[in-house]
Amino acid sequence: MERIELDGRIGLTLPDGFHVMQEDEKRKLRLVAEGEYAAFADPARHITATVGWRDIGLVSALLVSSSDAAQSAQKQIAAAMREYRYELSGFLQRDILGGKAGGFRYTYEAGGSGMSGETFALKYGKRMYYFNVYYRTVLASESRKTWEEILDSVSDLK
């Protein structure tokens, strides 16, 4: 297991088999939003994940909820992945860092394989975090357990 720091504020633990993706690997990812992010993968388990973040203003910090951010992200991802047969599976909620994160799960096709993804948005202080994972649908049960383990490990660095 490897403990990594994301943005100087939060960190998480990667299970054995995962590695932090280097810039050359990250360039191959097709991300919907721009901004700072960390990416990590376990090629043997066909799991790739990213955590992105952006600062939000005081007004957004007061008015925008994690669920609002998740719904907005869902619309962006749905539009960007239309050609990959994107299909929303449902909205989710879970605790991350002691706060309620809003999220959603979806399926799509890539390279002839059925894929699944999950995104959670979490407002933490004046920063919005986006936790994303992509895995093969046939491996969903085991992949979700691994993803839950990663999300459970997220902690404040203070």
Side-chain angles (χ1 to χ4, degrees):
M1 299 190 114
E2 177 184 4
R3 184 84 184 146
I4 64 169
E5 216 177 88
L6 296 174
D7 65 341
R9 295 182 186 184
I10 68 170
L12 55 80
T13 301
L14 297 177
D16 291 337
F18 277 86
H19 72 277
V20 176
M21 297 173 74
Q22 300 303 312
E23 289 304 317
D24 60 323
E25 292 176 286
K26 287 170 65 174
R27 278 192 286 275
K28 296 174 187 173
L29 298 176
R30 293 183 178 170
L31 302 180
V32 173
E34 293 185 18
E36 294 186 77
Y37 71 99
F40 37 95
D42 182 339
R45 288 189 266 192
H46 305 283
I47 301 172
T48 300
T50 64
V51 179
W53 56 88
R54 65 179 176 87
D55 289 330
I56 54 177
L58 181 58
V59 173
S60 291
L62 294 172
L63 299 178
V64 177
S65 72
S66 296
S67 292
D68 293 338
Q71 289 181 5
S72 177
Q74 188 277 325
K75 290 175 186 173
Q76 289 178 320
I77 290 172
M81 296 185 69
R82 192 172 294 123
E83 69 183 87
Y84 298 100
R85 297 185 183 182
Y86 172 95
E87 191 171 314
L88 176 65
S89 300
F91 286 94
L92 310 165
Q93 273 200 334
R94 78 168 328 273
D95 286 342
I96 301 175
L97 278 169
K100 290 284 183 207
F104 58 98
R105 184 176 294 142
Y106 56 95
T107 58
Y108 63 102
E109 289 184 22
S113 294
M115 300 294 293
S116 293
E118 292 182 21
T119 294
F120 285 97
L122 174 71
K123 182 173 62 172
Y124 190 66
K126 293 181 185 173
R127 190 164 277 186
M128 188 69 73
Y129 291 92
Y130 295 90
F131 299 85
N132 309 284
V133 68
Y134 317 94
Y135 50 85
R136 289 193 177 166
T137 302
V138 297
L139 302 173
S141 180
E142 190 59 36
S143 296
R144 285 183 189 150
K145 287 178 191 172
T146 302
W147 181 232
E148 292 290 325
E149 182 181 334
I150 292 169
L151 292 175
D152 287 343
S153 78
V154 176
S155 64
D156 195 303
L157 296 174
K158 295 177 192 173

